[in-house]
Amino acid sequence: MVKTEEIIKEISRLKKEKRAIILAHNYQPDEVQEIADFVGDSLELSRKAAEVEANLIVFCGVHFMAETAKILSPQKKVLLPDFKAGCPMADMLSAQDVRQLKERNPSRKVVAYVNTTAEVKAEADVCCTSANAVKIVSALPDEEIIFVPDRNLGAFVAGQTGKRLIAWDGYCPVHENIRLKDIEKARKLHPGAEVWAHPECRPEVLKQADRIFSTGQMIKEAPKSPAREIIIATEIGILYRLRKENPQKSFYPACEKAICNNMKKINLRKIYECLRDEKPEIIIEQQVAEQARKAINLMVKYI
Ligand code: 13P
Ligand code: SF4
């Protein structure tokens, strides 16, 4: 049995030798976040992937995130340590579904959450993340917009912008499982705490939240906020970083069971093997990547 310290040493050696960089999402296991060069939300990670000098990127997250990184940096080799790390919400919508939505709603623009496949992005006019969805939808001149695939984020954005969104009925099973009763229970246990929720949560949960943030916004706001105790309604992997970076504050999970099993498929051994073998590699058909890049670049222009 190879020891964890040896695996970490090997990862570090291979990284230097191959001029590679390790990017990790805020929901990754603690030990993965610990060895990563950069930890962030889906938008921050895509931007980082595009700006870093490295030729090789090991993306510790789920498939659509690694795909987005590849779309933005086509000349770099992007590796995903476990190809089975997918996102059930992204799998709830196909490119064909979007084409049908467009046929049924001609001349309506399509805003696609980044939690979508490259093929779906290629059918969209503009992408958004949970950090900028309200901004993107507000910036569009249209009053009626197709919004895919997250119904909860769609409802939140519609409420914030006053626009009519034709939303797909997709959802994140992890956030969907955070219930109103979990928030009520957590509030009873920690009466002085604020509740911060990710916009993928159910509308009734968002209604009870004091703040609604993407994972990156939670990380940025935590040190600035006057709140000393915060109940976090999102995937619990983010607690590691929140606690590490704000040791004077207390963070409580709204629901201990809010675990994204796909995010947890990445581990140190898989990262080591992936760096060693330079696979599995993200490959996207050129035409799909070019079309998807237009929608992602337009998002970046709007923010
Ligand atoms: P962020 O964009 O906030 O990182 O969220 C991504 C995600 O998959 C949430 O479930
Ligand atoms: Fe997808 Fe939900 Fe996991 Fe995020 S937490 S990657 S939306 S399944």
Side-chain angles (χ1 to χ4, degrees):
M1 208 26 194
V2 189
K3 286 208 190 80
T4 305
E5 303 87 77
E6 283 169 35
I7 297 181
I8 293 174
K9 243 197 222 158
E10 273 305 285
I11 290 175
S12 171
R13 183 186 67 76
L14 284 168
K15 233 175 57 172
K16 273 196 206 104
E17 184 187 305
K18 303 194 178 204
R19 294 190 56 238
I21 185 150
I22 301 179
L23 303 181
H25 187 265
N26 289 320
Y27 295 160
Q28 281 294 293
D30 306 354
E31 63 278 16
V32 173
Q33 294 194 32
E34 212 39 64
I35 58 121
D37 296 292
F38 183 81
V39 184
D41 69 9
S42 46
L43 176 64
E44 292 164 344
L45 292 175
S46 316
R47 283 183 152 166
K48 200 74 187 170
E51 77 191 31
V52 288
E53 297 233 332
N55 312 318
L56 193 63
I57 295 172
V58 179
F59 201 106
C60 303
V62 293
H63 196 272
F64 78 81
M65 294 180 180
E67 257 189 357
T68 308
K70 178 69 187 177
I71 291 165
L72 288 177
S73 4
Q75 72 294 355
K76 292 174 189 156
K77 200 172 200 179
V78 178
L79 309 173
L80 178 63
D82 187 334
F83 252 45
K84 290 197 203 85
C87 169
M89 167 153 57
D91 294 338
M92 288 176 190
L93 176 80
S94 68
Q96 175 64 13
D97 293 327
V98 184
R99 286 193 285 272
Q100 279 172 1
L101 269 173
K102 289 200 280 193
E103 268 166 38
R104 284 202 297 273
N105 302 280
S107 77
R108 294 288 170 258
K109 298 244 169 61
V110 178
V111 177
Y113 189 25
V114 280
N115 295 41
T116 43
T117 61
E119 288 75 14
V120 164
K121 289 185 180 77
E123 292 290 337
D125 293 287
V126 56
C127 284
C128 73
T129 71
S130 53
N132 60 31
V134 171
K135 233 186 205 166
I136 302 288
V137 169
S138 303
L140 292 174
D142 318 59
E143 279 310 308
E144 190 173 68
I145 295 160
I146 299 171
F147 189 91
V148 292
D150 187 3
R151 64 182 181 210
N152 293 341
L153 180 62
F156 169 66
V157 172
Q160 293 290 306
T161 59
K163 297 199 178 185
R164 216 181 84 72
L165 297 194
I166 304 160
W168 190 250
D169 200 22
Y171 60 92
C172 161
V174 179
H175 288 85
E176 193 77 357
N177 263 335
I178 303 175
R179 306 296 172 118
L180 187 55
K181 63 174 171 26
D182 295 316
I183 306 295
E184 289 165 351
K185 203 168 136 197
R187 275 216 198 265
K188 259 197 198 130
L189 272 171
H190 311 288
E194 277 193 4
V195 173
W196 291 9
H198 193 279
E200 286 177 16
C201 289
R202 291 164 174 266
E204 64 269 25
V205 167
L206 295 183
K207 217 171 148 205
Q208 286 304 316
D210 297 298
R211 314 292 299 270
I212 298 169
F213 287 141
S214 76
T215 65
Q217 287 165 338
M218 287 184 190
I219 297 288
K220 276 194 209 96
E221 289 299 319
K224 293 191 239 159
S225 164
R228 318 269 327 151
E229 291 183 285
I230 305 167
I231 296 160
I232 298 291
T234 191
E235 211 274 349
I236 60 170
I238 196 173
L239 292 168
Y240 177 68
R241 206 174 149 200
L242 284 170
R243 287 171 176 155
K244 187 175 153 192
E245 294 178 10
N246 306 277
Q248 74 291 5
K249 299 196 176 192
S250 301
F251 299 93
Y252 313 110
C255 170
E256 297 271 5
K257 286 190 224 139
I259 299 171
C260 176
N261 293 325
N262 283 286
M263 284 282 177
K264 309 305 186 221
K265 285 188 175 133
I266 311 295
N267 60 34
L268 294 178
R269 169 162 291 283
K270 287 180 193 169
I271 295 171
Y272 159 68
E273 286 170 0
C274 148
L275 258 173
R276 183 193 62 195
D277 305 337
E278 297 192 20
K279 64 178 191 189
E281 184 185 355
I282 300 280
I283 308 278
I284 306 170
E285 200 193 303
Q286 198 187 339
Q287 213 187 336
V288 170
E290 272 167 22
Q291 276 303 112
R293 194 174 308 123
K294 282 186 203 159
I296 301 171
N297 283 339
L298 191 56
M299 162 179 84
V300 176
K301 227 173 103 182
Y302 275 128
I303 54 176

